[in-house]
Amino acid sequence: MYILGIESSCDETSAAIVRMEQDGTRDIRANIVASQIDIHRLYGGVVPEIAGRAHVEAVSRITYEALATAGLTLADLGAVAVTTHPGLIGALLVGVNFAKSMAFARGLPLIPVNHIHAHIASAYLADPTLTPPFLALVVSGGHTSFYQVETETDIREIGGTRDDAAGEAFDKIGRVIGLPYPSGAALDKLAYEGDPHAFSFPSPALAGDTLDFSFSGLKTAALNLLHTAEQRGNPPSPADIAACYTRTIVDGITKKTDAALRLTDARTFVIAGGVAANSHLRRALTSLCDKNGVRFVAPPFALCGDNGAMVAAAGYFGYLAGQRADPSLNASAAD
Ligand code: KG4
Ligand code: ZN
């Protein structure tokens, strides 16, 4: 069946059409992403009110663009899936109301999708042979959490950040060292040019048996180091900061992933979310999995950031599990 996936939880409006079948077919026919990054860059971060308006302007246009790219019409669709939570409420409501109108006007099943579960579902598109159970790490601008994935729709959080997310931590320091928002990808590149041992920062991996993280101490330590050095008229090399900061985050996440693999006895590990595009992190986690004989699955870069295809994929499994929304469907900011 062809599923239309609509995503509008943050700063990308996306509409995708994916063909998913029980025989393992996962065919992304179109995955249109209208990014608002250029608009929000002026403010150094996402402005919720502006995001909502930009989604309104884009959502209908990109849905028809997705149909045209896929060479399909509305009559070919079998279901509509939409991100309902978590995210910016004014942004989510745009996608939810659009998807509701589309589904009820066409008499199509409407499937509500959790944004984090959608990130995990991007892995089914990357590897059609992937089946639960597995351990997943979603690492993005808003989340850094481990999930025990029992079935495609039975997903339980087993640890996560108690404050900032890894993506937020990258973006914050990137901004201070002069990189444009969002700075994750630029910081990834810059980190290759610096000395990863020039400074020592506190690990985001919390001590003890927990699978939880805290990124706020690391962020504050890096900011303090930058401010103090600047006051002394001796600013550190941005490449050294990028390299040390990245090493600290990658080491911390790798350490907790090692613990999570042991705790869950997982044979397969999935990483997803915008920060899953980080080349240093991918390398470290690939090598950790190799060492432990664990299968490593990571989506291609195009499916790491927010996109409609992952929403369609999660929606398909929700559809199979009988999940349906009625016209009272609402969005919610919380997890
Ligand atoms: O999943 P996503 O598109 O949106 C959320 O759901 O948050 O993730 C966006 C985050 C941003 O913080 C961005 O800086 C980060 O992913 N990011 C990266 C890289 N590419 C994107 N962080 C580190 N390294 C990258 N290569
Ligand atoms: Zn996301």
Side-chain angles (χ1 to χ4, degrees), residues 115 119 140-142 167-168 170-171 182-185 188 273-275 277-278 304-306:
H115 182 77
H119 273 299
S140 71
E168 228 174 323
F170 275 126
D171 291 341
S183 36
D188 185 344
V275 182
N278 187 277
C304 285
D306 293 345

mmCIF file of all heavy atoms in Angstrom, residues 115 119 140-142 167-168 170-171 182-185 188 273-275 277-278 304-306, ligand 1:
data_model
loop_
_atom_site.group_PDB
_atom_site.id
_atom_site.type_symbol
_atom_site.label_atom_id
_atom_site.label_comp_id
_atom_site.label_asym_id
_atom_site.label_seq_id
_atom_site.Cartn_x
_atom_site.Cartn_y
_atom_site.Cartn_z
ATOM 1 N N HIS A 115 6.838 11.019 16.885
ATOM 2 C CA HIS A 115 8.012 11.464 16.122
ATOM 3 C C HIS A 115 9.257 10.610 16.403
ATOM 4 O O HIS A 115 10.032 10.313 15.495
ATOM 5 C CB HIS A 115 8.278 12.936 16.460
ATOM 6 C CG HIS A 115 9.428 13.530 15.716
ATOM 7 N ND1 HIS A 115 9.347 13.914 14.396
ATOM 8 C CD2 HIS A 115 10.701 13.796 16.097
ATOM 9 C CE1 HIS A 115 10.521 14.400 14.003
ATOM 10 N NE2 HIS A 115 11.360 14.346 15.013
ATOM 11 N N HIS A 119 11.522 8.223 13.903
ATOM 12 C CA HIS A 119 12.980 8.177 13.694
ATOM 13 C C HIS A 119 13.459 6.722 13.706
ATOM 14 O O HIS A 119 14.261 6.312 12.869
ATOM 15 C CB HIS A 119 13.715 8.981 14.774
ATOM 16 C CG HIS A 119 13.863 10.439 14.440
ATOM 17 N ND1 HIS A 119 14.561 10.876 13.329
ATOM 18 C CD2 HIS A 119 13.436 11.562 15.069
ATOM 19 C CE1 HIS A 119 14.542 12.208 13.289
ATOM 20 N NE2 HIS A 119 13.861 12.651 14.337
ATOM 21 N N SER A 140 18.995 13.321 18.606
ATOM 22 C CA SER A 140 18.541 14.391 17.709
ATOM 23 C C SER A 140 18.658 15.732 18.404
ATOM 24 O O SER A 140 19.300 15.850 19.447
ATOM 25 C CB SER A 140 17.085 14.120 17.319
ATOM 26 O OG SER A 140 16.256 14.338 18.439
ATOM 27 N N GLY A 141 18.009 16.741 17.828
ATOM 28 C CA GLY A 141 18.024 18.068 18.431
ATOM 29 C C GLY A 141 17.206 18.103 19.714
ATOM 30 O O GLY A 141 17.425 18.958 20.579
ATOM 31 N N GLY A 142 16.269 17.184 19.866
ATOM 32 C CA GLY A 142 15.391 17.202 21.033
ATOM 33 C C GLY A 142 15.525 15.977 21.928
ATOM 34 O O GLY A 142 15.020 15.984 23.053
ATOM 35 N N GLY A 167 22.070 16.966 20.141
ATOM 36 C CA GLY A 167 21.997 17.916 19.019
ATOM 37 C C GLY A 167 21.984 19.356 19.514
ATOM 38 O O GLY A 167 22.655 20.237 18.962
ATOM 39 N N GLU A 168 21.230 19.574 20.583
ATOM 40 C CA GLU A 168 21.150 20.901 21.204
ATOM 41 C C GLU A 168 22.541 21.319 21.694
ATOM 42 O O GLU A 168 22.944 22.474 21.554
ATOM 43 C CB GLU A 168 20.248 20.737 22.425
ATOM 44 C CG GLU A 168 19.163 21.716 22.601
ATOM 45 C CD GLU A 168 18.302 21.279 23.793
ATOM 46 O OE1 GLU A 168 18.084 20.057 24.002
ATOM 47 O OE2 GLU A 168 17.865 22.179 24.508
ATOM 48 N N PHE A 170 25.457 20.268 20.573
ATOM 49 C CA PHE A 170 26.292 20.591 19.403
ATOM 50 C C PHE A 170 25.940 21.979 18.864
ATOM 51 O O PHE A 170 26.822 22.794 18.571
ATOM 52 C CB PHE A 170 26.073 19.559 18.285
ATOM 53 C CG PHE A 170 26.920 18.313 18.403
ATOM 54 C CD1 PHE A 170 26.343 17.052 18.390
ATOM 55 C CD2 PHE A 170 28.307 18.399 18.495
ATOM 56 C CE1 PHE A 170 27.121 15.901 18.481
ATOM 57 C CE2 PHE A 170 29.093 17.246 18.586
ATOM 58 C CZ PHE A 170 28.496 16.001 18.586
ATOM 59 N N ASP A 171 24.640 22.242 18.738
ATOM 60 C CA ASP A 171 24.212 23.514 18.146
ATOM 61 C C ASP A 171 24.651 24.711 18.988
ATOM 62 O O ASP A 171 25.052 25.748 18.470
ATOM 63 C CB ASP A 171 22.685 23.540 17.975
ATOM 64 C CG ASP A 171 22.223 22.563 16.905
ATOM 65 O OD1 ASP A 171 23.059 22.155 16.078
ATOM 66 O OD2 ASP A 171 21.037 22.203 16.909
ATOM 67 N N PRO A 182 21.774 25.180 12.000
ATOM 68 C CA PRO A 182 22.212 24.328 13.099
ATOM 69 C C PRO A 182 23.611 23.820 12.782
ATOM 70 O O PRO A 182 23.915 23.465 11.652
ATOM 71 C CB PRO A 182 21.204 23.176 13.080
ATOM 72 C CG PRO A 182 20.747 23.084 11.648
ATOM 73 C CD PRO A 182 20.936 24.447 11.025
ATOM 74 N N SER A 183 24.468 23.787 13.773
ATOM 75 C CA SER A 183 25.891 23.614 13.478
ATOM 76 C C SER A 183 26.399 22.185 13.540
ATOM 77 O O SER A 183 27.585 21.950 13.360
ATOM 78 C CB SER A 183 26.699 24.512 14.400
ATOM 79 O OG SER A 183 26.105 24.576 15.651
ATOM 80 N N GLY A 184 25.508 21.214 13.788
ATOM 81 C CA GLY A 184 25.943 19.820 13.911
ATOM 82 C C GLY A 184 26.840 19.349 12.770
ATOM 83 O O GLY A 184 27.938 18.833 13.008
ATOM 84 N N ALA A 185 26.393 19.551 11.540
ATOM 85 C CA ALA A 185 27.146 19.036 10.390
ATOM 86 C C ALA A 185 28.480 19.773 10.222
ATOM 87 O O ALA A 185 29.512 19.154 9.927
ATOM 88 C CB ALA A 185 26.305 19.145 9.129
ATOM 89 N N ASP A 188 30.928 18.666 12.876
ATOM 90 C CA ASP A 188 31.385 17.322 12.515
ATOM 91 C C ASP A 188 32.648 17.442 11.649
ATOM 92 O O ASP A 188 33.683 16.812 11.930
ATOM 93 C CB ASP A 188 30.230 16.653 11.742
ATOM 94 C CG ASP A 188 30.473 15.195 11.397
ATOM 95 O OD1 ASP A 188 31.625 14.747 11.469
ATOM 96 O OD2 ASP A 188 29.491 14.500 11.040
ATOM 97 N N GLY A 273 17.894 9.567 14.056
ATOM 98 C CA GLY A 273 17.795 10.974 14.452
ATOM 99 C C GLY A 273 18.884 11.801 13.786
ATOM 100 O O GLY A 273 19.872 11.255 13.275
ATOM 101 N N GLY A 274 18.724 13.110 13.814
ATOM 102 C CA GLY A 274 19.646 14.022 13.114
ATOM 103 C C GLY A 274 21.109 13.811 13.464
ATOM 104 O O GLY A 274 21.985 13.832 12.587
ATOM 105 N N VAL A 275 21.411 13.581 14.752
ATOM 106 C CA VAL A 275 22.812 13.433 15.180
ATOM 107 C C VAL A 275 23.388 12.070 14.753
ATOM 108 O O VAL A 275 24.604 11.879 14.756
ATOM 109 C CB VAL A 275 22.946 13.680 16.704
ATOM 110 C CG1 VAL A 275 24.385 13.578 17.170
ATOM 111 C CG2 VAL A 275 22.382 15.054 17.076
ATOM 112 N N ALA A 277 23.683 11.297 11.963
ATOM 113 C CA ALA A 277 24.476 11.622 10.761
ATOM 114 C C ALA A 277 25.930 11.928 11.134
ATOM 115 O O ALA A 277 26.786 12.022 10.249
ATOM 116 C CB ALA A 277 23.861 12.831 10.051
ATOM 117 N N ASN A 278 26.227 12.083 12.421
ATOM 118 C CA ASN A 278 27.587 12.452 12.835
ATOM 119 C C ASN A 278 28.586 11.336 12.505
ATOM 120 O O ASN A 278 28.442 10.204 12.973
ATOM 121 C CB ASN A 278 27.621 12.775 14.332
ATOM 122 C CG ASN A 278 28.966 13.328 14.750
ATOM 123 O OD1 ASN A 278 29.906 12.582 15.012
ATOM 124 N ND2 ASN A 278 29.085 14.643 14.762
ATOM 125 N N CYS A 304 18.148 10.557 8.268
ATOM 126 C CA CYS A 304 18.482 10.835 9.676
ATOM 127 C C CYS A 304 17.703 12.030 10.202
ATOM 128 O O CYS A 304 17.132 11.988 11.288
ATOM 129 C CB CYS A 304 19.983 11.106 9.822
ATOM 130 S SG CYS A 304 20.997 9.626 9.717
ATOM 131 N N GLY A 305 17.695 13.123 9.455
ATOM 132 C CA GLY A 305 16.968 14.323 9.872
ATOM 133 C C GLY A 305 15.466 14.104 9.708
ATOM 134 O O GLY A 305 15.031 13.058 9.205
ATOM 135 N N ASP A 306 14.686 15.078 10.138
ATOM 136 C CA ASP A 306 13.231 14.936 10.074
ATOM 137 C C ASP A 306 12.756 14.797 8.627
ATOM 138 O O ASP A 306 13.146 15.599 7.768
ATOM 139 C CB ASP A 306 12.579 16.162 10.732
ATOM 140 C CG ASP A 306 12.851 16.193 12.225
ATOM 141 O OD1 ASP A 306 13.284 15.159 12.772
ATOM 142 O OD2 ASP A 306 12.628 17.260 12.833
HETATM 143 O O1 KG4 B 1 16.270 14.746 14.023
HETATM 144 P P1 KG4 B 1 16.485 16.186 13.695
HETATM 145 O O2 KG4 B 1 16.463 16.596 12.242
HETATM 146 O O3 KG4 B 1 15.437 17.087 14.430
HETATM 147 C C1 KG4 B 1 14.972 16.807 15.704
HETATM 148 O O4 KG4 B 1 14.037 15.969 15.829
HETATM 149 O O5 KG4 B 1 15.560 17.377 16.631
HETATM 150 O O6 KG4 B 1 17.891 16.592 14.361
HETATM 151 C C2 KG4 B 1 18.455 17.869 14.197
HETATM 152 C C3 KG4 B 1 19.766 17.926 14.945
HETATM 153 C C4 KG4 B 1 20.376 19.326 15.004
HETATM 154 O O7 KG4 B 1 20.721 19.589 16.349
HETATM 155 C C5 KG4 B 1 21.622 19.207 14.121
HETATM 156 O O8 KG4 B 1 22.677 20.076 14.491
HETATM 157 C C6 KG4 B 1 21.995 17.772 14.343
HETATM 158 O O9 KG4 B 1 20.759 17.082 14.319
HETATM 159 N N1 KG4 B 1 22.909 17.237 13.314
HETATM 160 C C7 KG4 B 1 24.158 16.801 13.576
HETATM 161 C C8 KG4 B 1 24.731 16.404 12.338
HETATM 162 N N2 KG4 B 1 23.796 16.617 11.362
HETATM 163 C C9 KG4 B 1 22.680 17.123 11.978
HETATM 164 N N3 KG4 B 1 24.825 16.730 14.743
HETATM 165 C C10 KG4 B 1 26.083 16.247 14.704
HETATM 166 N N4 KG4 B 1 26.706 15.859 13.564
HETATM 167 C C11 KG4 B 1 26.082 15.908 12.372
HETATM 168 N N5 KG4 B 1 26.700 15.510 11.252
#
